[in-house]
Amino acid sequence: MNKRFVSLLLVAFSAFFLIPSGSALCAQELLITILAKGSGNPIVKAEIKAGATIVYTDAKGEARIPVSDPELELRISRPGFIDTVLEPEEFADRKTLEVFLLPKLGDDDDIVIVGKKRPETSKKVINIKEAAPVAPNGDPVQVIKLLPGVQKPSGFNQGLVVRGSGPDDSIYYFDHVKLPFIFHSISNLSITPEQTIDNISFSSGGFGPEFGDAGGGVVVIDSKNSIPERPLNEIRINVPIYSGYYHERPLSEDSAFRGSIRRSTLELILPYVLKRLDADNDLTISPYFGDAYLQYLKKTDDTVYKLSLLGSMDGLKAAFPFDESESSDGRGDLDILTQFASLSFEIERRLNSAWSLSLTPYVTRQQQSINFLKNKVDIRGSEAVLHAELTHRRGTLKDYIGMVSSGGRYFIDVFVPKLVRDDPFYDREEAERLQRSVAANVYSWAGWASTEQGVGDLILTPGARVQYWSPLRKASFDPRLAGRYPLNADHLLKFAVGKYSQAPQPDQTDEVFGNPDLDFQYSIHSILGLETKWGERWTSDVQVFHKTFEEMVQSNALKNFANTGTGESYGLEIFVRRLLTERLFGWVSYTWSQNFVRLSKESDRTPSPYDQTHVTTLVSDYKLTPLWSLGGRWEYASGNRYTPVESVVYNSIFDKYQARSTKSGYNQGRMPATNMISIYADRRILDDRWQMNLRLGVEDAALGKNARNVTYNYDYSKTEYVAGPAFIPYIELKATF
Amino acid sequence: MKTHFLSLALLALVFSACRGGPDERPETINKLRAIGTSSNPVGLSTSEPTVDTVVITAFALHPKSGLTIQVEPFNDPFATATLPSPLVVKSQKSTDYSGMTLYEITLTTQIPLVQVTVPEGATFISLRYGIRLTIDGDQEDVVGNLVVYKDKVPWTLTPAVAIAEPTVGSSNSANFPLVATLNDQEDEGYRVGWFTTSGSIANRRALNTKIKDVSQGDHTLLVTARGLKSGHFTLQAATFKVD
């Protein structure tokens, strides 16, 4: 053969086989990509059927399928999505095709969320999927307020009241970073962005030695440890409260970035609403809040690194008529600002199959300032903390040892009425103001250890915690013991007992305004509970608890403060939970408790200010269709306590009426019960690569008085209950793309 | 650090914002209202036991005229120290103004200073007294302090308060400024208190303030002042008209 002819033949041969021919691909094969509608995420292992030919999509959602027969239709199916049939004309003469599948609800047989580890005696773990729909204001962290042991607060304090312990007695963590507070004081929303949360766990008592300086509850928010598959943006507009933006993206196969920013819009709307309600209203008020979060996540085979920055801000500016005002228009000015920021670097490393180490160094900066009439309080502080814990796993049991060390510097500037004991007509209204500036270094250290020991089927967990706090120059020792015993496959008996020490508030140990000779206050917790599984979908948890409070810090005429108070709380909690399935979840929570306090050894025992006999919550969320869900909650609680006015005198020294109550009347009054219902409807609107959620709801519609506090007129001849808003309608629009 | 300050401040905000309507304002004279007490002398001294009888005058207002006020002393159960001898009612006087009557009730008490002991380390002792006033179904329990000093009484000069605006007998609109003057001879500072038979006062604690929504007719304004250090008490009333 001629060499040239052979060469040409070889080239033609190569071209035919090696160079793809468009007309040849189109005629024989279709590259089809199956994506989820609303997100555009690829659907893996979707089945595509063309006659007898069946192919499955890969990790990219792609598959190639021969489509040479012009009469053949394509059938696409995947569990969790609606089956789709494509007619031949929909893909004829096409080389590639994208198909978006709509979600479908399952048969409600499978449990979506399964508890991943044994919780402690009074610990509840709520996944974000359960929390987000039903939580107050759609804020998942607030789901804690719907759990047993948590009481409805009185007044406007946003802290948790747990089993008779006050709002300052609980502690809050975001991963291992301790937060001074968890809710914005304005709006009540949590300061941690919902989109970064994986789990929320709450312990109402009897917690392990890794937590201390608390006698109430422990809230731990676990942030996500997963690398997102693709970038995600979410814009949220909640009328009238706030707007926010969230973004996450994978930076590589093993690293990711997450960021969130939120800012209130209430201050723009509220003044207008107040003026519309009452044109002569001389109250001006401007509440505002905001928060921001940044996270860099990196994962290797044995280590998770998390660099996080969290910031929060709350403020209130107001001017209002006030009897103690010095201005000619009788108005007083109030300006409050609270700011917090933390920068943390968390390292979780699995050293080997049995040992793991967690290290979290972090720094915080905090400021709280209040300007009210002539008075001013400004507290600023910075702190550096190192949290470390070593865990050893022995089969299903574990031991752990840890420590947390912190050092900080605080500055306190106050301009407040000077206490003058040598003035017969002393009145704080007109008293000379005291300017005091204090700088203090505060050091604390805590160490703990705990071990799980199996004694037959009984698992005992003894542990202990030691902590030192420099303002007191003292240390505390807290022994603790917990146990779990399976009675059978469906019933688990559990208990916990322990000592829980708590340091006084920093201002209570100040040399001028406090008492530097205070001691730790502590409580003794005793808990006995029974967990039961009722089939595959229902669980219950019944507990009885008893707490005694010792060395409680109380106001003292001679020393400002002293450890003279004692208290007691006991009660019953019932928690029945319907586990999350495709369509439905919910729970019922009931707490009955009795709470008492004794201000000193000489005082009578009286009800505690946190005494709330009955607290009941019912929550539920139901998906009607993949696009519609309905839900709500009902909350009932006995009214909070207050001290009734027993007599009134006109004090001619101050030109004021003064209410009198005897010590036996302390907290004897009770406000009307709280009875509220909240309902919502949630609609998903799906486009190919983005989706919107429109949520319409009514929050806290009061079925009764919903009293938050008691107020009086100028001479105490009339009493009124300060109620929250009758109900709060809202619209929330969330766009995710 | 905790945010309990914030909750207290918000509580104050709610309380203060709910000052109430016209019938619930502290400056309005719509029932029996005690407005102050004075003592003569204003204070006693154990180092100068020349006076042992004290005259205490209680002042009260009522919107009606022609009524007799019932007076009786009472013991304040919250007092740590009380008068060594009971108060005795001596006389009462009433002065009618437009829309109100001013009552002045005079009581006396004996203070045997040898029986009064100033606590160790203190410079004074406050002796609490109580007076119960009853009229036309209303009752006011009034308390005050009589101060006995270890050394001489530090405050002796009595001030005088006067209403500069509105002038007595003047005609005004429903809204107008209020001005009071005070000669604080010993520079001790005074707490002012305005009262009115009609209208709302912006700041009843200020010497210069304003009043609004006064109804048509004849009315009375009254201003009181009490010394922040001495307990001196003084007052003045002025009638005016709104056309």
Side-chain angles (χ1 to χ4, degrees):
Chain A
M1 252 185 205
N2 184 290
K3 279 188 182 176
R4 174 177 283 185
F5 177 75
V6 171
S7 298
L8 285 172
L9 195 62
L10 283 171
V11 169
F13 181 86
S14 302
F16 182 77
F17 283 102
L18 297 179
I19 300 175
S21 161
S23 60
L25 180 64
C26 185
Q28 299 183 15
E29 202 172 64
L30 174 67
L31 174 63
I32 188 166
T33 308
I34 309 300
L35 303 166
K37 197 169 182 73
S39 65
N41 290 337
I43 298 176
V44 181
K45 293 186 182 172
E47 180 187 279
I48 308 166
K49 195 172 174 184
T53 305
I54 299 175
V55 297
Y56 294 91
T57 56
D58 59 15
K60 295 182 185 177
E62 293 176 346
R64 293 178 186 278
I65 188 162
V67 290
S68 53
D69 185 346
E71 302 294 325
L72 218 53
E73 59 190 14
L74 293 181
R75 293 182 171 275
I76 305 166
S77 62
R78 178 70 167 93
F81 294 90
I82 296 174
D83 293 352
T84 300
V85 175
L86 298 178
E87 299 299 330
E89 53 269 21
E90 293 182 71
F91 54 87
D93 299 326
R94 294 192 64 162
K95 305 172 197 174
T96 61
L97 180 69
E98 282 185 339
V99 178
F100 292 88
L101 299 187
L102 281 166
K104 179 179 80 172
L105 286 178
D107 295 331
D108 212 38
D109 288 333
D110 298 326
I111 309 298
V112 174
I113 305 298
V114 179
K116 51 186 179 182
K117 56 186 176 184
R118 283 178 305 220
E120 294 172 344
T121 305
S122 291
K123 187 173 175 180
K124 308 286 185 291
V125 180
I126 307 289
N127 186 270
I128 192 75
K129 286 193 167 80
E130 293 174 292
V134 295
N137 303 307
D139 178 28
V141 180
Q142 290 192 61
V143 80
I144 296 162
K145 300 175 182 177
L146 308 176
L147 297 177
V150 181
Q151 298 164 217
K152 297 289 173 270
S154 65
F156 298 88
N157 197 309
Q158 307 298 350
L160 297 177
V161 176
V162 180
R163 286 182 177 173
S165 289
D168 292 333
D169 298 339
S170 294
I171 50 175
Y172 315 102
Y173 286 87
F174 190 44
D175 293 328
H176 287 121
V177 176
K178 189 174 178 184
L179 307 175
F181 46 85
I182 204 166
F183 299 116
H184 284 288
S185 47
I186 306 294
S187 82
N188 216 6
L189 288 172
S190 67
I191 66 173
T192 52
E194 164 199 339
Q195 301 88 341
T196 64
I197 298 173
D198 198 13
N199 280 320
I200 302 157
S201 64
F202 169 68
S203 184
S204 50
F207 37 87
E210 68 273 28
F211 299 113
D213 199 26
V218 177
V219 177
V220 179
I221 301 170
D222 295 321
S223 65
K224 287 180 179 161
N225 271 354
S226 57
I227 306 292
E229 290 183 3
R230 57 189 30 77
L232 176 79
N233 296 282
E234 184 182 293
I235 296 173
R236 187 176 294 204
I237 300 171
N238 181 306
V239 180
I241 309 294
Y242 74 98
S243 296
Y245 171 69
Y246 171 79
H247 174 75
E248 67 177 25
R249 66 169 42 242
L251 299 175
S252 65
E253 278 189 3
D254 58 7
S255 67
F257 167 80
R258 290 183 165 95
S260 163
I261 185 165
R262 296 188 297 185
R263 184 68 164 89
S264 59
T265 52
L266 197 57
E267 67 269 32
L268 302 174
I269 298 169
L270 190 58
Y272 173 75
V273 170
L274 287 176
K275 269 298 172 198
R276 292 276 295 186
L277 288 173
D278 182 359
D280 292 331
N281 192 341
D282 46 6
L283 166 70
T284 57
I285 182 168
S286 178
Y288 58 95
F289 69 92
D291 54 56
Y293 178 74
L294 300 173
Q295 181 200 81
Y296 169 74
L297 172 69
K298 179 157 177 77
K299 298 177 75 167
T300 64
D301 290 338
D302 55 9
T303 307
V304 176
Y305 301 93
K306 232 184 257 185
L307 180 65
S308 304
L309 177 67
L310 173 67
S312 164
M313 168 197 68
D314 285 84
L316 176 72
K317 289 184 193 291
F320 47 89
F322 195 66
D323 281 347
E324 299 182 17
S325 166
E326 290 186 341
S327 68
S328 61
D329 64 1
R331 279 154 61 93
D333 292 320
L334 174 67
D335 189 348
I336 301 172
L337 177 65
T338 302
Q339 300 185 97
F340 170 77
S342 74
L343 177 64
S344 62
F345 183 51
E346 184 170 308
I347 305 167
E348 302 261 359
R349 169 166 288 178
R350 183 168 288 282
L351 301 172
N352 54 42
S353 61
W355 293 87
S356 59
L357 175 67
S358 160
L359 272 176
T360 308
Y362 64 94
V363 293
T364 66
R365 169 90 178 145
Q366 194 175 354
Q367 179 185 6
Q368 187 172 51
S369 65
I370 301 172
N371 288 278
F372 184 44
L373 301 178
K374 292 187 288 191
N375 308 302
K376 170 191 158 183
V377 174
D378 184 55
I379 305 173
R380 305 177 308 282
S382 302
E383 192 177 39
V385 184
L386 175 63
H387 181 283
E389 190 169 85
L390 187 65
T391 305
H392 175 235
R393 286 177 172 77
R394 297 173 281 114
T396 58
L397 303 175
K398 72 174 182 182
D399 318 301
Y400 54 93
I401 184 168
M403 63 128 259
V404 61
S405 178
S406 72
R409 187 157 174 81
Y410 291 93
F411 300 90
I412 301 174
D413 293 313
V414 296
F415 189 68
V416 293
K418 180 179 175 182
L419 179 61
V420 178
R421 300 188 195 276
D422 205 23
D423 182 345
F425 298 104
Y426 174 80
D427 179 27
R428 63 175 182 82
E429 266 190 60
E430 304 291 344
E432 178 187 350
R433 260 45 187 175
L434 169 68
Q435 171 75 48
R436 176 169 164 79
S437 296
V438 174
N441 296 322
V442 177
Y443 303 100
S444 69
W445 181 90
W448 61 86
S450 179
T451 177
E452 289 181 341
Q453 299 295 323
V455 181
D457 289 336
L458 171 66
I459 297 175
L460 286 175
T461 310
R465 181 183 180 93
V466 175
Q467 62 185 34
Y468 172 82
W469 200 52
S470 67
L472 293 183
R473 300 174 302 280
K474 291 174 186 165
S476 67
F477 173 70
D478 292 353
R480 299 176 192 175
L481 176 67
R484 303 173 72 82
Y485 179 72
L487 297 172
N488 51 46
D490 294 328
H491 295 86
L492 179 75
L493 194 65
K494 56 187 181 178
F495 76 92
V497 62
K499 182 184 175 196
Y500 296 82
S501 296
Q502 188 176 349
Q505 299 298 317
D507 54 296
Q508 292 173 331
T509 60
D510 180 66
E511 284 177 2
V512 173
F513 299 105
N515 177 5
D517 295 325
L518 288 175
D519 205 339
F520 284 96
Q521 48 193 3
Y522 66 91
S523 53
I524 306 291
H525 297 196
S526 306
I527 305 159
L528 179 65
L530 178 68
E531 286 180 20
T532 304
K533 283 188 206 171
W534 305 91
E536 292 297 318
R537 301 182 191 179
W538 294 85
T539 64
S540 69
D541 187 343
V542 179
Q543 296 190 20
V544 291
F545 68 89
H546 180 263
K547 286 168 75 169
T548 58
F549 304 87
E550 308 290 341
E551 305 286 331
M552 293 165 64
V553 176
Q554 300 291 328
S555 297
N556 184 280
L558 294 175
K559 303 177 186 177
N560 296 325
F561 295 100
N563 292 95
T564 58
T566 58
E568 184 183 17
S569 293
Y570 54 85
L572 164 73
E573 294 172 5
I574 301 173
F575 187 55
V576 178
R577 187 172 178 178
R578 205 281 191 182
L579 298 178
L580 175 64
T581 55
E582 287 284 335
R583 287 185 182 268
L584 174 68
F585 82 91
W587 66 75
V588 173
S589 162
Y590 172 71
T591 304
W592 172 90
S593 67
Q594 300 285 285
N595 305 275
F596 303 95
V597 70
R598 200 189 292 267
L599 298 179
S600 66
K601 287 179 189 168
E602 298 78 29
S603 305
D604 294 331
R605 193 170 93 146
T606 60
S608 156
Y610 310 116
D611 178 51
Q612 203 169 54
T613 312
H614 306 285
V615 182
T616 308
T617 308
L618 168 67
V619 306
S620 183
D621 180 83
Y622 183 73
K623 286 187 174 47
L624 293 169
T625 73
L627 302 181
W628 277 101
S629 62
L630 298 176
R633 64 181 189 276
W634 170 66
E635 298 169 74
Y636 174 89
S638 304
N640 278 299
R641 291 281 187 181
Y642 70 98
T643 301
V645 171
E646 294 178 25
S647 63
V648 179
V649 295
Y650 171 79
N651 193 320
S652 64
I653 304 168
F654 306 128
D655 188 22
K656 278 185 202 172
Y657 291 87
Q658 293 178 327
R660 263 87 175 283
S661 304
T662 57
K663 286 187 179 174
S664 61
Y666 185 60
N667 291 330
Q668 294 293 347
R670 193 183 280 286
M671 287 186 261
T674 301
N675 193 353
M676 300 187 297
I677 191 165
S678 304
I679 54 175
Y680 63 85
D682 197 288
R683 170 78 161 99
R684 289 168 73 193
I685 301 165
L686 300 181
D687 196 75
D688 287 346
R689 296 180 195 277
W690 57 267
Q691 63 175 333
M692 281 197 352
N693 278 74
L694 177 65
R695 184 168 161 128
L696 302 174
V698 172
E699 192 78 7
D700 295 344
L703 302 178
K705 188 67 183 177
N706 194 17
R708 300 296 294 276
N709 220 315
V710 179
T711 185
Y712 305 90
N713 65 344
Y714 70 92
D715 65 352
Y716 297 90
S717 58
K718 292 187 179 168
T719 306
E720 268 188 26
Y721 295 113
V722 179
F727 63 91
I728 306 172
Y730 67 92
I731 300 171
E732 183 175 276
L733 193 63
K734 183 171 74 173
T736 309
F737 55 95
Chain B
M1 289 181 283
K2 304 295 183 180
T3 56
H4 46 279
F5 286 123
L6 177 64
S7 60
L8 291 171
L10 281 172
L11 205 58
L13 173 63
V14 171
F15 284 168
S16 63
C18 305
R19 271 180 109 193
D23 293 341
E24 293 299 329
R25 297 181 69 92
E27 66 266 31
T28 306
I29 306 162
N30 55 1
K31 57 181 178 181
L32 174 64
R33 294 290 307 277
I35 60 171
T37 60
S38 67
S39 66
N40 185 13
V42 74
L44 300 175
S45 168
T46 54
S47 66
E48 295 174 353
T50 56
V51 176
D52 63 359
T53 300
V54 175
V55 177
I56 290 175
T57 306
F59 298 87
L61 302 173
H62 196 274
K64 294 181 182 175
S65 60
L67 300 177
T68 301
I69 195 165
Q70 313 299 322
V71 183
E72 58 179 319
F74 80 95
N75 288 327
D76 180 3
F78 287 81
T80 52
T82 56
L83 297 175
S85 304
L87 283 172
V88 176
V89 180
K90 283 298 181 188
S91 64
Q92 61 170 272
K93 180 178 89 169
S94 64
T95 307
D96 290 334
Y97 292 88
S98 300
M100 74 172 205
T101 300
L102 172 65
Y103 292 90
E104 298 176 45
I105 303 102
T106 305
L107 308 96
T108 59
T109 184
Q110 301 294 316
I111 308 289
L113 288 168
V114 294
Q115 294 181 13
V116 178
T117 305
V118 176
E120 187 68 33
T123 59
F124 68 91
I125 181 170
S126 293
L127 303 177
R128 172 62 55 92
Y129 59 82
I131 304 167
R132 176 164 292 156
L133 305 175
T134 309
I135 187 171
D136 196 28
D138 293 336
Q139 179 177 299
E140 290 261 276
D141 287 346
V142 183
V143 298
N145 284 350
L146 180 67
V147 183
V148 178
Y149 298 89
K150 182 183 282 185
D151 297 326
K152 71 172 189 174
V153 179
W155 312 95
T156 55
L157 298 180
T158 308
V161 68
I163 297 176
E165 290 184 38
T167 53
V168 175
S170 62
S171 290
N172 300 271
S173 65
N175 309 317
F176 54 91
L178 298 180
V179 177
T181 59
L182 183 71
N183 63 332
D184 187 358
Q185 298 181 78
E186 291 177 299
D187 199 25
E188 62 168 307
Y190 276 80
R191 173 176 292 111
V192 170
W194 286 95
F195 295 88
T196 180
T197 54
S198 175
S200 301
I201 298 175
N203 185 1
R204 62 183 296 267
R205 294 278 183 233
L207 284 172
N208 297 332
T209 183
K210 53 190 175 184
I211 189 170
K212 65 177 184 176
D213 301 332
V214 183
S215 61
Q216 271 190 326
D218 295 322
H219 296 289
T220 303
L221 279 164
L222 187 143
V223 66
T224 64
R226 69 241 304 130
L228 297 178
K229 301 290 185 190
S230 64
H232 278 131
F233 179 78
T234 179
L235 61 85
Q236 198 204 30
T239 56
F240 64 97
K241 183 187 297 185
V242 170
D243 300 321

